[in-house]
Coordinates of all heavy atoms in Angstrom, one line a residue:
M1 N 303.4 -19.3 182.2 CA 302.8 -20.3 183.1 C 303.8 -20.8 184.1 O 305.0 -20.8 183.8 CB 302.3 -21.5 182.3 CG 300.9 -21.3 181.6 SD 300.2 -22.9 181.2 CE 298.7 -22.8 182.1
S2 N 303.3 -21.2 185.2 CA 304.1 -21.7 186.3 C 303.9 -23.2 186.4 O 302.8 -23.6 186.8 CB 303.9 -21.0 187.6 OG 304.1 -19.6 187.5
F3 N 304.9 -24.0 186.2 CA 304.7 -25.4 186.2 C 305.6 -26.0 187.4 O 306.7 -25.4 187.7 CB 305.2 -26.1 185.0 CG 304.4 -25.7 183.7 CD1 304.9 -26.0 182.5 CD2 303.2 -25.1 183.8 CE1 304.2 -25.8 181.3 CE2 302.5 -24.9 182.7 CZ 303.0 -25.2 181.4
A4 N 305.1 -27.0 188.0 CA 305.8 -27.7 189.1 C 306.2 -29.0 188.6 O 305.5 -29.7 188.0 CB 304.9 -27.7 190.3
A5 N 307.4 -29.4 189.0 CA 307.9 -30.8 188.7 C 307.7 -31.7 189.8 O 307.8 -31.3 191.0 CB 309.4 -30.7 188.4
A6 N 307.4 -32.9 189.5 CA 307.2 -34.0 190.6 C 307.8 -35.2 190.1 O 307.9 -35.5 188.9 CB 305.7 -34.2 190.8
G7 N 308.3 -36.0 191.1 CA 308.9 -37.3 190.7 C 310.1 -37.2 189.8 O 310.2 -37.8 188.8
Q8 N 311.0 -36.4 190.2 CA 312.2 -36.1 189.4 C 313.0 -37.4 189.2 O 313.0 -38.3 189.9 CB 313.0 -35.0 190.1 CG 312.2 -33.9 190.5 CD 312.6 -32.6 189.9 OE1 313.6 -32.5 189.2 NE2 311.9 -31.5 190.2
G9 N 313.8 -37.4 188.1 CA 314.5 -38.6 187.6 C 315.6 -39.0 188.5 O 316.3 -38.2 189.1
A10 N 315.9 -40.3 188.5 CA 316.9 -41.0 189.3 C 318.3 -40.6 188.7 O 319.3 -40.7 189.5 CB 316.7 -42.5 189.4
A11 N 318.4 -40.3 187.4 CA 319.7 -40.0 186.8 C 320.2 -38.6 187.3 O 321.4 -38.3 187.1 CB 319.6 -40.0 185.3
D12 N 319.4 -37.8 187.9 CA 319.7 -36.5 188.3 C 320.3 -36.5 189.7 O 320.3 -37.6 190.4 CB 318.4 -35.6 188.3 CG 318.7 -34.2 188.2 OD1 319.8 -33.7 188.3 OD2 317.7 -33.4 188.0
N13 N 320.7 -35.4 190.2 CA 321.2 -35.3 191.6 C 320.1 -35.6 192.6 O 319.1 -34.8 192.6 CB 321.8 -33.9 191.8 CG 322.3 -33.7 193.2 OD1 322.0 -34.5 194.1 ND2 323.0 -32.6 193.4
P14 N 320.1 -36.7 193.3 CA 319.0 -37.0 194.2 C 318.8 -36.0 195.4 O 317.7 -35.9 195.9 CB 319.3 -38.4 194.8 CG 320.8 -38.5 194.6 CD 321.2 -37.7 193.4
E15 N 319.8 -35.2 195.7 CA 319.7 -34.3 196.8 C 319.1 -32.9 196.3 O 318.4 -32.2 197.1 CB 321.0 -34.0 197.4 CG 321.6 -35.2 198.1 CD 320.7 -35.8 199.2 OE1 320.1 -35.0 200.0 OE2 320.6 -37.0 199.3
N16 N 319.3 -32.6 195.0 CA 318.8 -31.4 194.5 C 318.6 -31.5 193.0 O 319.3 -31.0 192.2 CB 319.8 -30.2 194.7 CG 319.2 -28.9 194.4 OD1 318.0 -28.7 194.4 ND2 320.0 -27.9 194.1
P17 N 317.6 -32.3 192.6 CA 317.3 -32.6 191.2 C 316.9 -31.4 190.4 O 316.2 -30.5 190.9 CB 316.2 -33.7 191.2 CG 315.6 -33.5 192.5 CD 316.6 -33.0 193.5
K18 N 317.4 -31.3 189.2 CA 317.1 -30.1 188.4 C 316.6 -30.4 186.9 O 316.2 -29.5 186.2 CB 318.3 -29.2 188.3 CG 318.7 -28.6 189.7 CD 319.8 -27.6 189.5 CE 320.3 -27.2 190.8 NZ 319.6 -26.1 191.5
I19 N 316.7 -31.7 186.6 CA 316.4 -32.0 185.2 C 315.0 -31.6 184.7 O 314.9 -31.1 183.6 CB 316.7 -33.5 184.9 CG1 316.8 -33.8 183.4 CG2 315.7 -34.4 185.5 CD1 317.5 -35.1 183.0
L20 N 314.0 -31.8 185.4 CA 312.7 -31.4 185.0 C 312.5 -29.9 185.1 O 311.8 -29.3 184.2 CB 311.6 -32.1 185.8 CG 311.2 -33.5 185.4 CD1 310.1 -34.0 186.3 CD2 310.7 -33.5 184.0
E21 N 313.2 -29.3 186.0 CA 313.1 -27.8 186.1 C 313.8 -27.2 184.8 O 313.3 -26.2 184.3 CB 313.7 -27.3 187.4 CG 312.8 -27.7 188.6 CD 313.6 -27.8 189.9 OE1 314.8 -27.5 189.9 OE2 312.9 -28.2 190.8
D22 N 314.9 -27.8 184.4 CA 315.6 -27.3 183.2 C 314.7 -27.6 182.0 O 314.7 -26.7 181.1 CB 316.9 -28.1 183.0 CG 318.0 -27.7 184.1 OD1 317.8 -26.7 184.8 OD2 319.0 -28.5 184.2
F23 N 314.0 -28.7 182.0 CA 313.1 -29.0 180.9 C 312.0 -27.9 180.8 O 311.7 -27.4 179.7 CB 312.5 -30.4 181.0 CG 311.4 -30.7 180.1 CD1 311.6 -30.9 178.7 CD2 310.1 -30.7 180.5 CE1 310.6 -31.2 177.9 CE2 309.0 -30.9 179.7 CZ 309.3 -31.2 178.3
I24 N 311.4 -27.6 181.9 CA 310.3 -26.6 182.0 C 310.8 -25.3 181.5 O 310.1 -24.6 180.7 CB 309.8 -26.5 183.5 CG1 309.1 -27.8 183.9 CG2 308.9 -25.3 183.6 CD1 308.8 -27.9 185.4
R25 N 312.0 -24.9 181.8 CA 312.6 -23.6 181.3 C 312.8 -23.7 179.8 O 312.5 -22.8 179.1 CB 313.9 -23.3 182.0 CG 313.8 -22.7 183.4 CD 315.2 -22.3 183.9 NE 315.1 -22.1 185.4 CZ 315.3 -23.1 186.2 NH1 315.8 -24.3 185.9 NH2 315.2 -22.9 187.5
A26 N 313.3 -24.9 179.3 CA 313.6 -25.0 177.9 C 312.3 -24.9 177.0 O 312.4 -24.5 175.9 CB 314.3 -26.4 177.7
I27 N 311.2 -25.3 177.6 CA 309.9 -25.2 176.8 C 309.2 -23.8 177.0 O 308.1 -23.6 176.5 CB 309.0 -26.3 177.0 CG1 308.5 -26.4 178.5 CG2 309.6 -27.6 176.6 CD1 307.3 -27.3 178.7
G28 N 309.9 -22.9 177.7 CA 309.4 -21.6 177.9 C 308.5 -21.3 179.0 O 307.8 -20.3 179.1
A29 N 308.5 -22.2 180.0 CA 307.7 -21.9 181.2 C 308.6 -21.7 182.4 O 309.8 -21.8 182.3 CB 306.8 -23.2 181.5
E30 N 308.0 -21.3 183.5 CA 308.7 -21.0 184.7 C 308.5 -22.2 185.8 O 307.4 -22.4 186.2 CB 308.2 -19.7 185.3 CG 308.9 -19.3 186.6 CD 308.3 -18.0 187.2 OE1 307.8 -17.2 186.4 OE2 308.4 -17.9 188.4
P31 N 309.6 -22.8 186.2 CA 309.4 -23.9 187.2 C 309.1 -23.3 188.6 O 309.5 -22.2 188.9 CB 310.7 -24.6 187.3 CG 311.7 -23.6 186.7 CD 311.0 -22.7 185.8
V32 N 308.3 -24.0 189.3 CA 307.9 -23.6 190.7 C 308.7 -24.5 191.7 O 308.6 -25.7 191.6 CB 306.4 -23.8 191.0 CG1 306.1 -23.5 192.4 CG2 305.6 -22.8 190.0
L33 N 309.4 -23.9 192.6 CA 310.2 -24.7 193.6 C 309.3 -24.7 194.8 O 309.0 -23.7 195.4 CB 311.5 -24.0 193.9 CG 312.4 -23.9 192.7 CD1 313.7 -23.2 193.1 CD2 312.7 -25.2 192.0
Y34 N 308.8 -25.9 195.2 CA 307.9 -26.1 196.3 C 308.5 -27.2 197.2 O 309.2 -28.1 196.8 CB 306.5 -26.3 195.8 CG 306.3 -27.6 195.0 CD1 305.8 -28.7 195.6 CD2 306.7 -27.7 193.7 CE1 305.6 -29.9 194.9 CE2 306.5 -28.8 193.0 CZ 305.9 -29.9 193.6 OH 305.7 -31.1 192.8
P35 N 308.2 -27.1 198.5 CA 308.8 -28.0 199.5 C 308.6 -29.5 199.2 O 309.6 -30.3 199.5 CB 308.1 -27.6 200.8 CG 307.7 -26.2 200.6 CD 307.3 -26.1 199.2
Q36 N 307.5 -29.9 198.7 CA 307.2 -31.3 198.5 C 307.7 -31.9 197.1 O 307.4 -33.0 196.8 CB 305.7 -31.6 198.7 CG 305.2 -31.4 200.1 CD 305.6 -32.5 201.0 OE1 305.6 -33.7 200.6 NE2 306.0 -32.2 202.2
R37 N 308.4 -31.1 196.3 CA 308.7 -31.5 194.9 C 309.5 -32.7 194.8 O 309.5 -33.4 193.8 CB 309.3 -30.3 194.2 CG 310.8 -30.1 194.4 CD 311.2 -28.8 193.6 NE 312.6 -28.7 193.5 CZ 313.4 -28.2 194.5 NH1 312.9 -27.9 195.6 NH2 314.7 -28.1 194.3
N38 N 310.3 -33.1 195.8 CA 311.1 -34.3 195.8 C 310.6 -35.4 196.6 O 311.3 -36.5 196.7 CB 312.6 -34.0 196.2 CG 313.2 -33.0 195.3 OD1 313.0 -33.0 194.1 ND2 314.0 -32.1 195.9
E39 N 309.4 -35.3 197.1 CA 308.8 -36.3 198.0 C 308.1 -37.3 197.1 O 307.5 -37.0 196.1 CB 307.8 -35.7 199.0 CG 308.5 -34.7 200.0 CD 309.6 -35.4 200.8 OE1 309.4 -36.5 201.2 OE2 310.7 -34.8 200.9
C40 N 308.1 -38.6 197.5 CA 307.4 -39.6 196.8 C 305.9 -39.4 197.0 O 305.4 -39.1 198.1 CB 307.8 -41.0 197.4 SG 306.9 -42.4 196.7
C41 N 305.2 -39.7 195.9 CA 303.7 -39.5 196.0 C 303.0 -40.8 196.5 O 301.8 -40.7 196.8 CB 303.2 -39.3 194.6 SG 303.2 -40.7 193.5
G42 N 303.8 -41.8 196.8 CA 303.2 -43.0 197.3 C 302.6 -43.9 196.3 O 301.8 -44.8 196.6
G43 N 302.9 -43.7 195.0 CA 302.3 -44.4 193.9 C 302.5 -45.9 194.1 O 301.6 -46.7 193.7
Y44 N 303.6 -46.4 194.6 CA 303.8 -47.8 194.8 C 302.9 -48.4 195.8 O 302.8 -49.6 195.9 CB 305.3 -48.1 195.1 CG 305.7 -47.5 196.5 CD1 305.7 -48.2 197.6 CD2 306.1 -46.1 196.6 CE1 306.0 -47.7 198.9 CE2 306.4 -45.6 197.8 CZ 306.3 -46.4 198.9 OH 306.6 -45.8 200.2
M45 N 302.3 -47.6 196.6 CA 301.4 -48.1 197.7 C 299.9 -48.1 197.3 O 299.1 -48.5 198.1 CB 301.6 -47.2 199.0 CG 302.9 -47.2 199.6 SD 303.3 -48.8 200.3 CE 302.1 -48.8 201.7
T46 N 299.6 -47.6 196.1 CA 298.2 -47.4 195.7 C 297.4 -48.7 195.8 O 296.3 -48.7 196.3 CB 298.1 -46.9 194.2 OG1 298.8 -45.7 194.2 CG2 296.7 -46.8 193.8
M47 N 297.9 -49.9 195.5 CA 297.2 -51.1 195.6 C 297.2 -51.7 197.0 O 296.2 -52.3 197.4 CB 297.8 -52.1 194.6 CG 297.7 -51.7 193.1 SD 296.1 -51.4 192.6 CE 295.5 -53.1 192.4
E48 N 298.2 -51.5 197.7 CA 298.4 -52.2 199.0 C 297.8 -51.3 200.2 O 297.1 -51.9 201.0 CB 299.8 -52.5 199.3 CG 300.0 -53.3 200.5 CD 301.5 -53.7 200.7 OE1 302.1 -54.2 199.7 OE2 302.0 -53.6 201.8
E49 N 298.1 -50.1 200.1 CA 297.7 -49.2 201.2 C 297.3 -47.8 200.7 O 298.0 -46.9 200.8 CB 298.9 -49.0 202.2 CG 298.6 -48.4 203.5 CD 297.8 -49.4 204.4 OE1 298.1 -50.6 204.5 OE2 296.9 -48.9 205.1
K50 N 296.1 -47.8 200.1 CA 295.7 -46.6 199.3 C 295.7 -45.4 200.2 O 296.0 -44.3 199.7 CB 294.3 -46.8 198.7 CG 293.9 -45.7 197.8 CD 292.6 -46.0 197.1 CE 292.3 -44.8 196.2 NZ 291.2 -45.1 195.3
S51 N 295.4 -45.5 201.5 CA 295.3 -44.3 202.3 C 296.7 -43.6 202.4 O 296.8 -42.4 202.5 CB 294.9 -44.6 203.7 OG 295.8 -45.5 204.4
V52 N 297.8 -44.3 202.3 CA 299.1 -43.8 202.3 C 299.3 -43.0 201.0 O 299.8 -41.9 201.0 CB 300.2 -44.8 202.5 CG1 301.6 -44.3 202.3 CG2 300.1 -45.5 203.9
A53 N 298.9 -43.6 199.9 CA 299.1 -43.0 198.6 C 298.2 -41.7 198.5 O 298.7 -40.7 198.0 CB 298.7 -44.0 197.5
V54 N 297.0 -41.7 199.0 CA 296.2 -40.6 199.0 C 296.8 -39.4 199.9 O 296.9 -38.3 199.4 CB 294.8 -40.9 199.6 CG1 294.0 -39.6 199.9 CG2 294.0 -41.8 198.6
S55 N 297.3 -39.8 201.0 CA 297.9 -38.8 201.9 C 299.2 -38.1 201.3 O 299.3 -36.9 201.3 CB 298.3 -39.4 203.2 OG 299.0 -38.5 204.1
R56 N 300.0 -39.0 200.7 CA 301.3 -38.5 200.2 C 301.0 -37.7 198.9 O 301.6 -36.6 198.7 CB 302.2 -39.6 199.9 CG 302.7 -40.3 201.3 CD 303.6 -41.4 201.1 NE 305.0 -40.8 201.0 CZ 306.1 -41.5 201.1 NH1 306.0 -42.7 201.3 NH2 307.2 -40.9 201.1
S57 N 300.2 -38.2 198.0 CA 299.9 -37.5 196.8 C 299.2 -36.1 197.1 O 299.5 -35.1 196.4 CB 299.2 -38.3 195.8 OG 297.9 -38.6 196.3
S58 N 298.3 -36.1 198.0 CA 297.6 -34.9 198.4 C 298.6 -33.8 198.9 O 298.5 -32.7 198.6 CB 296.6 -35.2 199.5 OG 295.6 -36.0 199.0
A59 N 299.6 -34.3 199.7 CA 300.6 -33.4 200.2 C 301.4 -32.7 199.1 O 301.7 -31.5 199.1 CB 301.5 -34.1 201.3
V60 N 301.8 -33.5 198.1 CA 302.6 -33.0 197.0 C 301.8 -32.0 196.2 O 302.3 -30.9 195.9 CB 303.0 -34.2 196.1 CG1 303.6 -33.7 194.8 CG2 304.0 -35.1 196.8
M61 N 300.6 -32.3 195.9 CA 299.7 -31.4 195.1 C 299.4 -30.1 195.9 O 299.4 -29.1 195.3 CB 298.5 -32.1 194.6 CG 298.8 -33.3 193.7 SD 299.6 -32.7 192.2 CE 298.1 -32.1 191.3
Q62 N 299.1 -30.3 197.2 CA 298.8 -29.1 198.0 C 300.0 -28.1 198.0 O 299.8 -26.9 197.9 CB 298.3 -29.5 199.4 CG 298.0 -28.3 200.2 CD 297.5 -28.7 201.6 OE1 297.3 -29.9 201.9 NE2 297.2 -27.7 202.4
S63 N 301.2 -28.7 198.2 CA 302.4 -27.9 198.3 C 302.6 -27.2 197.0 O 302.9 -26.0 196.9 CB 303.6 -28.8 198.6 OG 304.8 -28.1 198.7
A64 N 302.4 -27.9 195.8 CA 302.6 -27.2 194.5 C 301.6 -26.1 194.3 O 302.0 -25.0 193.9 CB 302.4 -28.3 193.4
A65 N 300.4 -26.3 194.7 CA 299.3 -25.3 194.5 C 299.6 -24.1 195.4 O 299.5 -22.9 195.0 CB 298.0 -25.9 194.9
E66 N 300.0 -24.3 196.7 CA 300.3 -23.2 197.6 C 301.5 -22.4 197.1 O 301.5 -21.2 197.5 CB 300.6 -23.8 199.0 CG 299.4 -24.3 199.7 CD 299.7 -25.0 201.0 OE1 300.9 -25.1 201.4 OE2 298.8 -25.4 201.7
F67 N 302.4 -22.9 196.3 CA 303.5 -22.1 195.8 C 303.3 -21.6 194.4 O 304.2 -21.1 193.8 CB 304.8 -22.9 195.9 CG 305.4 -22.9 197.3 CD1 304.8 -23.6 198.3 CD2 306.5 -22.1 197.6 CE1 305.4 -23.6 199.6 CE2 307.0 -22.1 198.8 CZ 306.5 -22.8 199.9
G68 N 302.0 -21.7 194.0 CA 301.6 -21.0 192.7 C 301.7 -21.8 191.4 O 301.6 -21.2 190.4
A69 N 301.9 -23.1 191.5 CA 301.9 -23.9 190.3 C 300.6 -23.9 189.6 O 299.5 -23.9 190.3 CB 302.3 -25.3 190.6
E70 N 300.6 -23.8 188.3 CA 299.4 -23.9 187.5 C 299.2 -25.3 186.9 O 298.1 -25.7 186.4 CB 299.4 -22.9 186.4 CG 299.5 -21.5 186.9 CD 299.7 -20.5 185.7 OE1 299.1 -20.6 184.7 OE2 300.6 -19.6 185.9
M71 N 300.3 -26.1 187.0 CA 300.3 -27.5 186.5 C 301.4 -28.2 187.1 O 302.4 -27.6 187.5 CB 300.5 -27.4 184.9 CG 300.6 -28.7 184.2 SD 301.0 -28.5 182.5 CE 299.4 -27.8 181.9
V72 N 301.3 -29.5 187.2 CA 302.4 -30.4 187.7 C 302.8 -31.3 186.6 O 302.0 -31.9 185.9 CB 301.9 -31.2 188.9 CG1 303.0 -32.2 189.3 CG2 301.6 -30.3 190.1
I73 N 304.1 -31.3 186.4 CA 304.7 -32.1 185.3 C 305.5 -33.2 186.0 O 306.3 -33.0 186.9 CB 305.7 -31.3 184.4 CG1 305.0 -30.1 183.8 CG2 306.4 -32.1 183.4 CD1 305.9 -29.1 183.2
T74 N 305.4 -34.5 185.5 CA 306.2 -35.6 186.0 C 306.8 -36.4 184.9 O 306.4 -36.4 183.8 CB 305.2 -36.5 186.9 OG1 306.0 -37.5 187.5 CG2 304.1 -37.1 186.1
A75 N 307.9 -37.1 185.3 CA 308.5 -38.1 184.5 C 308.3 -39.5 185.0 O 308.9 -40.4 184.5 CB 310.0 -37.7 184.4
C76 N 307.5 -39.6 185.9 CA 307.2 -40.9 186.6 C 305.8 -41.4 186.3 O 304.8 -40.7 186.6 CB 307.4 -40.9 188.1 SG 307.0 -42.3 189.0
P77 N 305.6 -42.5 185.6 CA 304.2 -43.0 185.4 C 303.4 -43.2 186.6 O 302.2 -43.0 186.6 CB 304.4 -44.3 184.6 CG 305.8 -44.4 184.3 CD 306.6 -43.4 185.1
L78 N 304.0 -43.7 187.7 CA 303.3 -43.9 188.9 C 302.8 -42.6 189.5 O 301.7 -42.5 190.0 CB 304.1 -44.6 190.0 CG 304.4 -46.1 189.7 CD1 305.3 -46.7 190.8 CD2 303.1 -46.9 189.8
C79 N 303.7 -41.5 189.4 CA 303.3 -40.2 189.9 C 302.1 -39.7 189.1 O 301.2 -39.1 189.6 CB 304.4 -39.2 189.8 SG 305.7 -39.5 191.1
L80 N 302.2 -39.9 187.8 CA 301.1 -39.4 186.9 C 299.8 -40.0 187.3 O 298.8 -39.2 187.5 CB 301.4 -39.8 185.4 CG 300.4 -39.4 184.4 CD1 300.4 -37.8 184.3 CD2 300.7 -40.0 183.1
Y81 N 299.8 -41.3 187.5 CA 298.5 -41.9 187.9 C 298.1 -41.4 189.3 O 296.9 -41.0 189.5 CB 298.7 -43.4 187.9 CG 297.4 -44.1 188.5 CD1 296.3 -44.4 187.7 CD2 297.4 -44.5 189.8 CE1 295.2 -44.9 188.2 CE2 296.2 -45.0 190.3 CZ 295.1 -45.3 189.5 OH 294.0 -45.9 190.0
N82 N 299.0 -41.5 190.3 CA 298.6 -41.2 191.7 C 298.3 -39.8 191.9 O 297.3 -39.5 192.6 CB 299.8 -41.6 192.6 CG 299.4 -41.8 194.0 OD1 298.3 -42.4 194.3 ND2 300.2 -41.5 194.9
L83 N 299.0 -38.9 191.3 CA 298.7 -37.4 191.5 C 297.4 -37.1 190.8 O 296.6 -36.2 191.3 CB 299.8 -36.6 191.0 CG 301.1 -36.7 191.7 CD1 302.2 -35.9 191.0 CD2 301.0 -36.3 193.2
K84 N 297.0 -37.7 189.7 CA 295.7 -37.5 189.0 C 294.6 -38.1 189.8 O 293.5 -37.5 190.0 CB 295.8 -38.0 187.6 CG 296.4 -37.2 186.6 CD 296.3 -37.8 185.2 CE 296.6 -36.8 184.2 NZ 296.4 -37.3 182.8
K85 N 294.7 -39.4 190.2 CA 293.6 -40.2 190.7 C 293.5 -40.2 192.2 O 292.3 -40.4 192.7 CB 293.8 -41.6 190.2 CG 293.8 -41.8 188.7 CD 292.5 -41.5 188.1 CE 292.6 -41.8 186.6 NZ 291.4 -41.4 185.9
N86 N 294.5 -40.0 192.9 CA 294.4 -40.2 194.4 C 294.6 -38.9 195.2 O 294.4 -38.9 196.4 CB 295.4 -41.2 194.9 CG 295.0 -42.6 194.4 OD1 293.9 -42.9 194.3 ND2 296.0 -43.4 194.1
S87 N 295.0 -37.8 194.6 CA 295.3 -36.6 195.3 C 294.1 -35.8 195.7 O 294.2 -35.0 196.6 CB 296.3 -35.7 194.6 OG 295.7 -35.1 193.5
G88 N 293.1 -35.9 194.9 CA 291.9 -35.1 195.1 C 292.1 -33.6 194.7 O 291.2 -32.8 194.9
S89 N 293.2 -33.4 194.0 CA 293.5 -32.0 193.5 C 292.9 -31.8 192.1 O 292.8 -32.7 191.3 CB 295.0 -31.8 193.5 OG 295.3 -30.5 192.9
E90 N 292.5 -30.5 191.9 CA 292.1 -30.1 190.6 C 293.2 -29.6 189.7 O 293.0 -29.4 188.5 CB 291.0 -29.0 190.7 CG 289.8 -29.4 191.4 CD 289.0 -30.4 190.7 OE1 288.9 -30.3 189.4 OE2 288.4 -31.4 191.3
L91 N 294.4 -29.5 190.3 CA 295.6 -29.0 189.5 C 295.9 -30.1 188.4 O 296.0 -31.2 188.7 CB 296.7 -28.9 190.5 CG 297.9 -28.0 190.1 CD1 297.5 -26.6 189.9 CD2 298.9 -28.0 191.2
P92 N 296.0 -29.6 187.2 CA 296.4 -30.6 186.1 C 297.7 -31.2 186.3 O 298.7 -30.6 186.8 CB 296.4 -29.7 184.8 CG 295.8 -28.4 185.2 CD 295.9 -28.3 186.7
V93 N 297.8 -32.5 185.9 CA 299.1 -33.3 186.0 C 299.3 -33.8 184.6 O 298.4 -34.5 184.1 CB 299.0 -34.4 187.0 CG1 300.3 -35.2 187.1 CG2 298.6 -33.9 188.4
V94 N 300.5 -33.6 184.1 CA 300.9 -34.1 182.8 C 302.2 -34.8 182.8 O 303.1 -34.5 183.6 CB 300.8 -33.1 181.7 CG1 299.5 -32.5 181.5 CG2 301.8 -32.0 181.9
Y95 N 302.4 -35.8 181.9 CA 303.6 -36.5 181.7 C 304.5 -35.5 180.8 O 304.0 -34.9 179.9 CB 303.4 -37.8 181.0 CG 304.5 -38.8 181.2 CD1 304.8 -39.3 182.5 CD2 305.3 -39.2 180.1 CE1 305.9 -40.2 182.6 CE2 306.3 -40.1 180.3 CZ 306.6 -40.6 181.5 OH 307.6 -41.5 181.7
F96 N 305.8 -35.4 181.1 CA 306.6 -34.4 180.4 C 306.6 -34.6 178.9 O 306.7 -33.6 178.2 CB 308.1 -34.5 181.0 CG 308.9 -35.6 180.4 CD1 309.8 -35.4 179.4 CD2 308.8 -36.9 181.0 CE1 310.6 -36.4 178.9 CE2 309.6 -37.9 180.5 CZ 310.4 -37.7 179.5
T97 N 306.4 -35.8 178.4 CA 306.4 -36.0 176.9 C 305.2 -35.3 176.3 O 305.3 -34.9 175.1 CB 306.5 -37.5 176.6 OG1 305.4 -38.1 177.2 CG2 307.8 -38.1 177.0
E98 N 304.1 -35.2 177.0 CA 303.0 -34.5 176.5 C 303.3 -33.0 176.2 O 302.9 -32.5 175.2 CB 301.8 -34.5 177.4 CG 301.3 -35.9 177.7 CD 300.2 -35.9 178.7 OE1 299.1 -35.5 178.4 OE2 300.5 -36.4 179.9
L99 N 304.0 -32.4 177.1 CA 304.4 -31.0 176.9 C 305.5 -30.9 175.8 O 305.5 -29.9 175.1 CB 304.9 -30.4 178.2 CG 303.8 -30.1 179.2 CD1 304.4 -29.6 180.5 CD2 302.8 -29.2 178.7
L100 N 306.4 -31.8 175.8 CA 307.4 -31.8 174.7 C 306.8 -31.9 173.4 O 307.1 -31.1 172.5 CB 308.4 -33.0 174.9 CG 309.5 -33.1 173.9 CD1 310.4 -31.9 173.8 CD2 310.3 -34.4 174.2
A101 N 305.8 -32.8 173.2 CA 305.1 -32.9 171.9 C 304.4 -31.5 171.6 O 304.5 -31.1 170.4 CB 304.1 -34.0 172.0
E102 N 303.8 -30.9 172.6 CA 303.1 -29.6 172.3 C 304.1 -28.6 172.0 O 303.9 -27.8 171.0 CB 302.3 -29.2 173.6 CG 301.4 -28.1 173.3 CD 300.5 -27.8 174.5 OE1 300.0 -28.7 175.1 OE2 300.4 -26.6 174.8
A103 N 305.3 -28.5 172.7 CA 306.3 -27.5 172.4 C 306.9 -27.7 171.0 O 307.3 -26.7 170.3 CB 307.4 -27.6 173.4
L104 N 306.8 -28.9 170.5 CA 307.4 -29.2 169.1 C 306.3 -29.1 168.0 O 306.6 -29.3 166.9 CB 308.0 -30.6 169.1 CG 309.2 -30.8 169.9 CD1 309.7 -32.3 169.9 CD2 310.4 -29.9 169.4
G105 N 305.1 -28.7 168.5 CA 304.0 -28.5 167.5 C 303.2 -29.8 167.1 O 302.5 -29.8 166.2
V106 N 303.4 -30.9 167.8 CA 302.7 -32.1 167.6 C 301.3 -32.0 168.2 O 301.2 -31.7 169.4 CB 303.5 -33.3 168.1 CG1 302.7 -34.6 167.9 CG2 304.9 -33.4 167.5
K107 N 300.3 -32.3 167.5 CA 298.9 -32.2 168.0 C 298.6 -33.5 168.7 O 298.8 -34.6 168.3 CB 297.9 -31.9 166.9 CG 298.2 -30.6 166.3 CD 297.5 -29.5 166.9 CE 297.9 -28.2 166.2 NZ 297.6 -27.1 166.9

């Protein structure tokens, strides 16, 4: 499967984050490098200026889909909500711990 990372962690290199991509490889999947992977989804704007959140999250999801992602993985709860609810995309979005649990055999 080809997974795309979104909302990469602050503890990683902000110019070229790799922690979620390393995680994706570690669970046996192939990360997708797409242009919008480091862009903010606008989750913090959802309540105040929803149109900004819709536009930004749509751009992230469209970019992931165009580069062949089958799923988007995030470590950010705001990204999880915004990419699922405001992007208009059918591409599945999951929090990284859900995949970790599955990889460890937890149902």
Side-chain angles (χ1 to χ4, degrees):
M1 277 198 122
S2 299
F3 295 166
Q8 309 239 359
D12 204 350
N13 177 348
E15 297 300 319
N16 190 23
K18 295 185 188 280
I19 195 165
L20 277 181
E21 291 155 7
D22 291 345
F23 169 76
I24 291 167
R25 282 185 198 93
I27 63 170
E30 179 184 334
V32 174
L33 302 180
Y34 61 104
Q36 295 282 321
R37 78 183 194 282
N38 295 324
E39 297 301 317
C40 177
C41 73
Y44 64 95
M45 297 291 293
T46 298
M47 298 299 284
E48 187 175 314
E49 194 71 42
K50 187 171 181 175
S51 64
V52 173
V54 168
S55 174
R56 294 181 86 162
S57 63
S58 296
V60 170
M61 294 298 281
Q62 182 177 355
S63 180
E66 287 175 357
F67 277 74
E70 298 172 44
M71 176 185 293
V72 173
I73 302 169
T74 185
C76 173
L78 286 174
C79 288
L80 179 67
Y81 175 83
N82 201 37
L83 296 173
K84 278 185 168 185
K85 302 293 183 184
N86 291 326
S87 71
S89 175
E90 296 294 321
L91 201 59
V93 181
V94 297
Y95 201 66
F96 79 99
T97 55
E98 295 174 76
L99 290 176
L100 178 59
E102 191 174 317
L104 294 173
V106 177
K107 299 271 179 197

